[in-house]
Amino acid sequence: MVAIGLLDRLLLAGSPTVYGALFLPVCALTALWVREADIVTAPISVPIAFAAGIVPIAGGEGGLGSQVMAVVTALAVHAGWLYGGTLVAGVISCVRKVRAMARRRRPADRRRPGPPIGRR
């Protein structure tokens, strides 16, 4: 997201709409590419990536205080993109987790012998 933010600043003068629109597929890809053992981290890492990537396009002129206020303002104004991306990553992660749990349960069900068919 930092690279996307830098490219957005260089090519499009820091358009927050383009940055937000590119954030959504990055969230989906993050949730799809993360290892099965780390599925829970996808919805946690995408807001951090959004905040890190918005620094180049936030605007702040001058000192550190101005830059921090610009980032906080950009996060507040563009929270819809942030919530949407987190929702996308969360839904994909939940579906992947449920499918992984079902895969783990299935072989255990096959090993247990059931009652003989036709007998009571």
mmCIF file of all heavy atoms in Angstrom, residues 1-10 12-20 50-60 67 70-71 74 78:
data_model
loop_
_atom_site.group_PDB
_atom_site.id
_atom_site.type_symbol
_atom_site.label_atom_id
_atom_site.label_comp_id
_atom_site.label_asym_id
_atom_site.label_seq_id
_atom_site.Cartn_x
_atom_site.Cartn_y
_atom_site.Cartn_z
ATOM 1 N N MET A 1 0.818 -1.193 0.000
ATOM 2 C CA MET A 1 0.000 0.000 0.000
ATOM 3 C C MET A 1 0.861 1.256 0.000
ATOM 4 O O MET A 1 0.463 2.268 -0.555
ATOM 5 C CB MET A 1 -0.951 -0.003 1.194
ATOM 6 C CG MET A 1 -2.084 -1.008 1.105
ATOM 7 S SD MET A 1 -3.034 -1.001 -0.432
ATOM 8 C CE MET A 1 -3.647 0.640 -0.545
ATOM 9 N N VAL A 2 2.028 1.175 0.600
ATOM 10 C CA VAL A 2 2.932 2.332 0.553
ATOM 11 C C VAL A 2 3.353 2.592 -0.889
ATOM 12 O O VAL A 2 3.366 3.744 -1.344
ATOM 13 C CB VAL A 2 4.153 2.118 1.474
ATOM 14 C CG1 VAL A 2 5.170 3.225 1.292
ATOM 15 C CG2 VAL A 2 3.713 2.036 2.930
ATOM 16 N N ALA A 3 3.660 1.528 -1.627
ATOM 17 C CA ALA A 3 4.043 1.691 -3.033
ATOM 18 C C ALA A 3 2.880 2.262 -3.849
ATOM 19 O O ALA A 3 3.081 3.135 -4.698
ATOM 20 C CB ALA A 3 4.494 0.350 -3.612
ATOM 21 N N ILE A 4 1.674 1.791 -3.580
ATOM 22 C CA ILE A 4 0.497 2.326 -4.278
ATOM 23 C C ILE A 4 0.293 3.789 -3.924
ATOM 24 O O ILE A 4 -0.020 4.617 -4.789
ATOM 25 C CB ILE A 4 -0.752 1.484 -3.969
ATOM 26 C CG1 ILE A 4 -0.626 0.114 -4.631
ATOM 27 C CG2 ILE A 4 -2.025 2.187 -4.419
ATOM 28 C CD1 ILE A 4 -1.724 -0.863 -4.276
ATOM 29 N N GLY A 5 0.475 4.132 -2.660
ATOM 30 C CA GLY A 5 0.359 5.530 -2.251
ATOM 31 C C GLY A 5 1.383 6.425 -2.930
ATOM 32 O O GLY A 5 1.064 7.529 -3.365
ATOM 33 N N LEU A 6 2.616 5.931 -3.027
ATOM 34 C CA LEU A 6 3.660 6.713 -3.698
ATOM 35 C C LEU A 6 3.368 6.872 -5.190
ATOM 36 O O LEU A 6 3.527 7.964 -5.748
ATOM 37 C CB LEU A 6 5.023 6.065 -3.489
ATOM 38 C CG LEU A 6 5.597 6.173 -2.076
ATOM 39 C CD1 LEU A 6 6.828 5.287 -1.927
ATOM 40 C CD2 LEU A 6 5.922 7.615 -1.742
ATOM 41 N N LEU A 7 2.946 5.785 -5.835
ATOM 42 C CA LEU A 7 2.590 5.874 -7.257
ATOM 43 C C LEU A 7 1.403 6.802 -7.478
ATOM 44 O O LEU A 7 1.369 7.568 -8.447
ATOM 45 C CB LEU A 7 2.285 4.487 -7.817
ATOM 46 C CG LEU A 7 3.491 3.595 -8.076
ATOM 47 C CD1 LEU A 7 3.044 2.197 -8.462
ATOM 48 C CD2 LEU A 7 4.373 4.194 -9.144
ATOM 49 N N ASP A 8 0.428 6.739 -6.586
ATOM 50 C CA ASP A 8 -0.735 7.620 -6.683
ATOM 51 C C ASP A 8 -0.304 9.077 -6.565
ATOM 52 O O ASP A 8 -0.784 9.937 -7.310
ATOM 53 C CB ASP A 8 -1.743 7.250 -5.601
ATOM 54 C CG ASP A 8 -3.029 8.042 -5.689
ATOM 55 O OD1 ASP A 8 -3.304 8.648 -6.747
ATOM 56 O OD2 ASP A 8 -3.778 8.051 -4.697
ATOM 57 N N ARG A 9 0.603 9.348 -5.655
ATOM 58 C CA ARG A 9 1.072 10.731 -5.488
ATOM 59 C C ARG A 9 1.839 11.206 -6.716
ATOM 60 O O ARG A 9 1.688 12.346 -7.160
ATOM 61 C CB ARG A 9 1.952 10.833 -4.253
ATOM 62 C CG ARG A 9 2.427 12.233 -4.009
ATOM 63 C CD ARG A 9 3.213 12.326 -2.748
ATOM 64 N NE ARG A 9 3.670 13.697 -2.560
ATOM 65 C CZ ARG A 9 4.391 14.081 -1.543
ATOM 66 N NH1 ARG A 9 4.733 13.227 -0.613
ATOM 67 N NH2 ARG A 9 4.763 15.328 -1.441
ATOM 68 N N LEU A 10 2.681 10.333 -7.277
ATOM 69 C CA LEU A 10 3.493 10.717 -8.434
ATOM 70 C C LEU A 10 2.665 10.859 -9.704
ATOM 71 O O LEU A 10 2.843 11.799 -10.473
ATOM 72 C CB LEU A 10 4.608 9.703 -8.665
ATOM 73 C CG LEU A 10 5.725 9.687 -7.633
ATOM 74 C CD1 LEU A 10 6.674 8.530 -7.906
ATOM 75 C CD2 LEU A 10 6.470 11.010 -7.647
ATOM 76 N N LEU A 12 -0.971 10.670 -10.063
ATOM 77 C CA LEU A 12 -2.302 11.266 -10.017
ATOM 78 C C LEU A 12 -2.441 12.375 -8.973
ATOM 79 O O LEU A 12 -3.558 12.705 -8.562
ATOM 80 C CB LEU A 12 -3.339 10.174 -9.734
ATOM 81 C CG LEU A 12 -3.356 9.026 -10.754
ATOM 82 C CD1 LEU A 12 -4.193 7.872 -10.239
ATOM 83 C CD2 LEU A 12 -3.878 9.509 -12.080
ATOM 84 N N ALA A 13 -1.346 12.888 -8.501
ATOM 85 C CA ALA A 13 -1.334 13.985 -7.523
ATOM 86 C C ALA A 13 -2.046 13.619 -6.228
ATOM 87 O O ALA A 13 -2.662 14.455 -5.579
ATOM 88 C CB ALA A 13 -1.932 15.255 -8.129
ATOM 89 N N GLY A 14 -1.986 12.350 -5.833
ATOM 90 C CA GLY A 14 -2.535 11.933 -4.544
ATOM 91 C C GLY A 14 -4.039 11.828 -4.496
ATOM 92 O O GLY A 14 -4.660 12.312 -3.562
ATOM 93 N N SER A 15 -4.650 11.181 -5.453
ATOM 94 C CA SER A 15 -6.103 11.026 -5.467
ATOM 95 C C SER A 15 -6.548 9.976 -4.446
ATOM 96 O O SER A 15 -6.244 8.792 -4.596
ATOM 97 C CB SER A 15 -6.561 10.587 -6.868
ATOM 98 O OG SER A 15 -7.907 10.202 -6.838
ATOM 99 N N PRO A 16 -7.272 10.379 -3.417
ATOM 100 C CA PRO A 16 -7.714 9.420 -2.404
ATOM 101 C C PRO A 16 -8.721 8.406 -2.949
ATOM 102 O O PRO A 16 -8.793 7.279 -2.466
ATOM 103 C CB PRO A 16 -8.354 10.271 -1.316
ATOM 104 C CG PRO A 16 -8.166 11.675 -1.699
ATOM 105 C CD PRO A 16 -7.619 11.741 -3.073
ATOM 106 N N THR A 17 -9.478 8.778 -3.956
ATOM 107 C CA THR A 17 -10.449 7.850 -4.537
ATOM 108 C C THR A 17 -9.745 6.709 -5.256
ATOM 109 O O THR A 17 -10.132 5.547 -5.100
ATOM 110 C CB THR A 17 -11.379 8.598 -5.513
ATOM 111 O OG1 THR A 17 -11.981 9.694 -4.822
ATOM 112 C CG2 THR A 17 -12.445 7.684 -6.052
ATOM 113 N N VAL A 18 -8.719 7.023 -6.005
ATOM 114 C CA VAL A 18 -7.951 5.977 -6.688
ATOM 115 C C VAL A 18 -7.254 5.096 -5.657
ATOM 116 O O VAL A 18 -7.253 3.861 -5.770
ATOM 117 C CB VAL A 18 -6.929 6.595 -7.665
ATOM 118 C CG1 VAL A 18 -5.990 5.542 -8.226
ATOM 119 C CG2 VAL A 18 -7.652 7.331 -8.771
ATOM 120 N N TYR A 19 -6.690 5.701 -4.625
ATOM 121 C CA TYR A 19 -6.025 4.939 -3.567
ATOM 122 C C TYR A 19 -7.016 3.998 -2.885
ATOM 123 O O TYR A 19 -6.713 2.821 -2.668
ATOM 124 C CB TYR A 19 -5.397 5.898 -2.549
ATOM 125 C CG TYR A 19 -4.737 5.188 -1.395
ATOM 126 C CD1 TYR A 19 -3.498 4.588 -1.550
ATOM 127 C CD2 TYR A 19 -5.357 5.115 -0.153
ATOM 128 C CE1 TYR A 19 -2.891 3.935 -0.494
ATOM 129 C CE2 TYR A 19 -4.759 4.461 0.895
ATOM 130 C CZ TYR A 19 -3.524 3.876 0.721
ATOM 131 O OH TYR A 19 -2.926 3.218 1.776
ATOM 132 N N GLY A 20 -8.189 4.481 -2.560
ATOM 133 C CA GLY A 20 -9.204 3.646 -1.920
ATOM 134 C C GLY A 20 -9.705 2.535 -2.823
ATOM 135 O O GLY A 20 -9.913 1.399 -2.388
ATOM 136 N N PHE A 50 -3.368 0.306 5.153
ATOM 137 C CA PHE A 50 -4.064 1.502 4.669
ATOM 138 C C PHE A 50 -3.458 2.758 5.302
ATOM 139 O O PHE A 50 -3.182 3.741 4.608
ATOM 140 C CB PHE A 50 -5.557 1.410 5.000
ATOM 141 C CG PHE A 50 -6.374 2.534 4.445
ATOM 142 C CD1 PHE A 50 -6.875 2.470 3.159
ATOM 143 C CD2 PHE A 50 -6.664 3.668 5.196
ATOM 144 C CE1 PHE A 50 -7.640 3.494 2.627
ATOM 145 C CE2 PHE A 50 -7.423 4.697 4.688
ATOM 146 C CZ PHE A 50 -7.917 4.609 3.396
ATOM 147 N N ALA A 51 -3.242 2.708 6.611
ATOM 148 C CA ALA A 51 -2.685 3.871 7.311
ATOM 149 C C ALA A 51 -1.260 4.168 6.848
ATOM 150 O O ALA A 51 -0.889 5.334 6.681
ATOM 151 C CB ALA A 51 -2.714 3.630 8.811
ATOM 152 N N ALA A 52 -0.472 3.128 6.618
ATOM 153 C CA ALA A 52 0.905 3.347 6.154
ATOM 154 C C ALA A 52 0.934 3.908 4.733
ATOM 155 O O ALA A 52 1.757 4.767 4.414
ATOM 156 C CB ALA A 52 1.685 2.040 6.210
ATOM 157 N N GLY A 53 0.027 3.438 3.893
ATOM 158 C CA GLY A 53 0.012 3.886 2.510
ATOM 159 C C GLY A 53 -0.599 5.255 2.301
ATOM 160 O O GLY A 53 -0.361 5.895 1.273
ATOM 161 N N ILE A 54 -1.381 5.724 3.259
ATOM 162 C CA ILE A 54 -2.026 7.028 3.080
ATOM 163 C C ILE A 54 -1.079 8.175 3.423
ATOM 164 O O ILE A 54 -1.352 9.327 3.072
ATOM 165 C CB ILE A 54 -3.341 7.110 3.887
ATOM 166 C CG1 ILE A 54 -4.289 8.079 3.214
ATOM 167 C CG2 ILE A 54 -3.099 7.513 5.319
ATOM 168 C CD1 ILE A 54 -5.721 7.924 3.618
ATOM 169 N N VAL A 55 0.033 7.869 4.054
ATOM 170 C CA VAL A 55 0.988 8.921 4.436
ATOM 171 C C VAL A 55 1.461 9.736 3.221
ATOM 172 O O VAL A 55 1.451 10.968 3.281
ATOM 173 C CB VAL A 55 2.180 8.320 5.226
ATOM 174 C CG1 VAL A 55 3.270 9.349 5.453
ATOM 175 C CG2 VAL A 55 1.688 7.750 6.550
ATOM 176 N N PRO A 56 1.854 9.099 2.103
ATOM 177 C CA PRO A 56 2.324 9.922 0.966
ATOM 178 C C PRO A 56 1.250 10.809 0.344
ATOM 179 O O PRO A 56 1.574 11.861 -0.212
ATOM 180 C CB PRO A 56 2.801 8.889 -0.061
ATOM 181 C CG PRO A 56 2.989 7.630 0.678
ATOM 182 C CD PRO A 56 2.065 7.685 1.842
ATOM 183 N N ILE A 57 -0.016 10.417 0.425
ATOM 184 C CA ILE A 57 -1.055 11.223 -0.228
ATOM 185 C C ILE A 57 -1.813 12.114 0.739
ATOM 186 O O ILE A 57 -2.701 12.847 0.332
ATOM 187 C CB ILE A 57 -2.048 10.326 -0.997
ATOM 188 C CG1 ILE A 57 -2.840 9.429 -0.066
ATOM 189 C CG2 ILE A 57 -1.348 9.525 -2.060
ATOM 190 C CD1 ILE A 57 -4.003 8.740 -0.724
ATOM 191 N N ALA A 58 -1.475 12.074 2.034
ATOM 192 C CA ALA A 58 -2.218 12.845 3.035
ATOM 193 C C ALA A 58 -2.062 14.343 2.846
ATOM 194 O O ALA A 58 -3.005 15.101 3.055
ATOM 195 C CB ALA A 58 -1.778 12.444 4.438
ATOM 196 N N GLY A 59 -0.896 14.788 2.480
ATOM 197 C CA GLY A 59 -0.750 16.204 2.181
ATOM 198 C C GLY A 59 0.101 16.995 3.120
ATOM 199 O O GLY A 59 0.858 17.806 2.704
ATOM 200 N N GLY A 60 0.109 16.819 4.361
ATOM 201 C CA GLY A 60 0.746 17.683 5.348
ATOM 202 C C GLY A 60 1.993 18.424 4.904
ATOM 203 O O GLY A 60 2.937 17.842 4.408
ATOM 204 N N GLN A 67 2.160 16.857 9.428
ATOM 205 C CA GLN A 67 2.036 15.584 8.714
ATOM 206 C C GLN A 67 1.129 14.623 9.485
ATOM 207 O O GLN A 67 0.286 13.952 8.889
ATOM 208 C CB GLN A 67 3.420 14.959 8.505
ATOM 209 C CG GLN A 67 3.410 13.696 7.682
ATOM 210 C CD GLN A 67 3.028 13.938 6.230
ATOM 211 O OE1 GLN A 67 3.319 14.976 5.668
ATOM 212 N NE2 GLN A 67 2.367 12.974 5.634
ATOM 213 N N ALA A 70 -2.457 15.687 9.075
ATOM 214 C CA ALA A 70 -2.936 15.378 7.725
ATOM 215 C C ALA A 70 -3.284 13.897 7.600
ATOM 216 O O ALA A 70 -4.301 13.540 6.996
ATOM 217 C CB ALA A 70 -1.877 15.763 6.694
ATOM 218 N N VAL A 71 -2.464 13.018 8.187
ATOM 219 C CA VAL A 71 -2.742 11.582 8.136
ATOM 220 C C VAL A 71 -4.002 11.260 8.936
ATOM 221 O O VAL A 71 -4.869 10.505 8.471
ATOM 222 C CB VAL A 71 -1.529 10.770 8.654
ATOM 223 C CG1 VAL A 71 -1.896 9.311 8.872
ATOM 224 C CG2 VAL A 71 -0.367 10.880 7.690
ATOM 225 N N ALA A 74 -6.968 12.448 6.952
ATOM 226 C CA ALA A 74 -7.211 11.574 5.797
ATOM 227 C C ALA A 74 -7.836 10.248 6.233
ATOM 228 O O ALA A 74 -8.736 9.728 5.570
ATOM 229 C CB ALA A 74 -5.908 11.326 5.048
ATOM 230 N N HIS A 78 -11.575 9.334 4.874
ATOM 231 C CA HIS A 78 -11.652 8.191 3.956
ATOM 232 C C HIS A 78 -11.857 6.876 4.702
ATOM 233 O O HIS A 78 -11.424 5.814 4.252
ATOM 234 C CB HIS A 78 -10.400 8.136 3.087
ATOM 235 C CG HIS A 78 -10.161 9.421 2.369
ATOM 236 N ND1 HIS A 78 -11.037 9.915 1.427
ATOM 237 C CD2 HIS A 78 -9.181 10.332 2.482
ATOM 238 C CE1 HIS A 78 -10.596 11.067 0.985
ATOM 239 N NE2 HIS A 78 -9.470 11.355 1.623
#
